Amino acid sequence: MMARRIPPHGTENRYTNHGCRCPECKSASAEGRAERKRRAAYAEWNGRPALVDAEPVRQHIISLQQSGLSVAHIVNMSGVGYSVVRNILYGTHDQPPARRVFWDNAQAVLKVRADVDSMPGSARVDGAGTRRRIQALMTLGWTSQNIADLVGYTRVYVTALASRDRVTASAAKRIREAYGQLSMNVPADTPRARKAKAFAAGRGWLPPAAWDDDLIDLPDDELKVELRRQVALMDWSELQACHNSRARYGDRSPLTLEASREYKRRPRQKFEEAS
């Protein structure tokens, strides 16, 4: 579970979400209530809308939950009250989910991002980047035991991570760090290293050179969309160069393969007519 960060005394967050009843927190809570009343009384507050549509905020919260963040995580990361998030999602016992939400609360929630660096270690994330990094390291000859020793996991667990669809954020971060240390180096030519390379080759795994930083973490469906987008921006000579790289040198990087397929799909004349 994510450790809850306790805000300082004299804040409404500490009063509302952490049960502190010291004079400073009571005063901050009272001031917060008064401020909300003032904001609700005026159509404009500090040059901005006092209230905005809650639906985009609600959908963002749902997306964060699907990525592995609980309501408690979202509250801690945004700094808004627990009751605010609950009301946006579920409403109260006798009222439907909120239709409007204060502008600053909406902005605070919308700024929360479900990325590996900000998510609690126990949250489940897409395993594409973790799989690809382990597989890429093995194409160089790094064994699952080498990786396990570096990240503090067992060899069996690292092997399992190489094929999982979902992994913990903690595992994703550790494997990413190991990849940063190992991907630019080649291990000693030992029987185990050769076995790891043969294992990876037999499964068609891609080496580090095949993965650009902006592609390696994308889930499979998003990767396909991004590859098509990048290929659509290429001119004829770039498509031809990618096709030649695949045909002559066996380049199997995802972008090269997609560009080569586009090269064969669209003859030069049609390509130039469409450009």
Side-chain angles (χ1 to χ4, degrees):
M1 294 294 293
M2 178 182 181
R4 300 187 72 183
R5 297 191 295 271
I6 306 299
H9 287 290
T11 60
E12 188 176 13
N13 190 350
R14 184 157 183 149
Y15 179 94
T16 302
N17 297 322
H18 301 274
C20 182
R21 295 298 182 264
C22 74
E24 292 84 359
C25 288
K26 285 183 178 180
S27 176
S29 177
E31 290 176 3
R33 289 196 299 272
E35 178 62 20
R36 284 191 291 276
K37 288 181 181 179
R38 286 193 294 270
R39 285 152 54 192
Y42 296 94
E44 296 288 324
W45 177 69
N46 197 25
R48 303 186 184 99
L51 297 168
V52 296
D53 185 8
E55 186 58 29
V57 186
R58 183 164 32 253
Q59 292 304 317
H60 185 63
I61 294 172
I62 292 172
S63 176
L64 292 174
Q65 289 181 305
Q66 292 172 342
S67 297
L69 292 179
S70 68
V71 170
H73 294 142
I74 297 168
V75 167
N76 274 319
M77 294 168 71
S78 66
V80 304
Y82 184 84
S83 60
V84 173
V85 177
R86 293 282 302 180
N87 189 34
I88 293 172
L89 273 178
Y90 311 117
T92 61
H93 66 282
D94 58 353
Q95 294 293 328
R99 295 176 58 190
R100 307 275 282 172
V101 61
F102 283 118
W103 180 90
D104 51 344
N105 285 338
Q107 294 304 304
V109 172
L110 290 172
K111 287 179 181 178
V112 176
R113 290 289 179 266
D115 57 62
V116 168
D117 291 310
S118 64
M119 294 179 73
S122 60
R124 309 292 291 184
V125 300
D126 188 89
T130 300
R131 290 197 311 272
R132 292 166 186 158
R133 286 183 172 90
I134 295 173
Q135 293 171 3
L137 290 177
M138 293 185 71
T139 68
L140 299 179
W142 294 109
T143 68
S144 55
Q145 188 63 62
N146 292 145
I147 302 169
D149 291 341
L150 190 58
V151 300
Y153 290 147
T154 66
R155 177 185 60 79
V156 173
Y157 186 55
V158 169
T159 301
L161 289 176
S163 59
R164 286 189 178 175
D165 292 329
R166 306 284 289 180
V167 301
T168 65
S170 176
K173 284 185 279 192
R174 292 194 189 189
I175 295 300
R176 184 182 63 186
E177 291 169 0
Y179 182 81
Q181 295 182 49
L182 300 177
S183 60
M184 299 301 292
N185 300 291
V186 177
D189 186 21
T190 65
R192 289 185 178 180
R194 290 194 291 271
K195 184 176 180 180
K197 292 173 69 173
F199 184 84
R203 284 156 180 75
W205 291 349
L206 299 176
W211 291 108
D212 293 330
D213 290 341
D214 62 335
L215 299 178
I216 193 168
D217 286 308
L218 293 179
D220 291 336
D221 54 345
E222 294 181 23
L223 177 63
K224 293 178 182 178
V225 173
E226 178 60 17
L227 291 174
R228 287 194 291 268
R229 186 192 71 80
Q230 292 191 23
V231 166
L233 299 175
M234 292 182 178
D235 59 27
W236 176 259
S237 62
E238 290 173 315
L239 292 177
Q240 188 175 48
C242 288
H243 176 72
N244 291 340
S245 181
R246 182 201 64 78
R248 295 177 183 175
Y249 308 111
D251 185 347
R252 296 185 297 115
S253 63
L255 185 58
T256 296
L257 293 180
E258 182 64 26
S260 177
R261 285 191 287 267
E262 182 66 11
Y263 174 86
K264 291 186 288 186
R265 280 196 298 263
R266 298 174 63 182
R268 181 170 186 171
Q269 182 178 358
K270 290 184 178 180
F271 181 90
E272 292 176 341
E273 290 173 357
S275 298

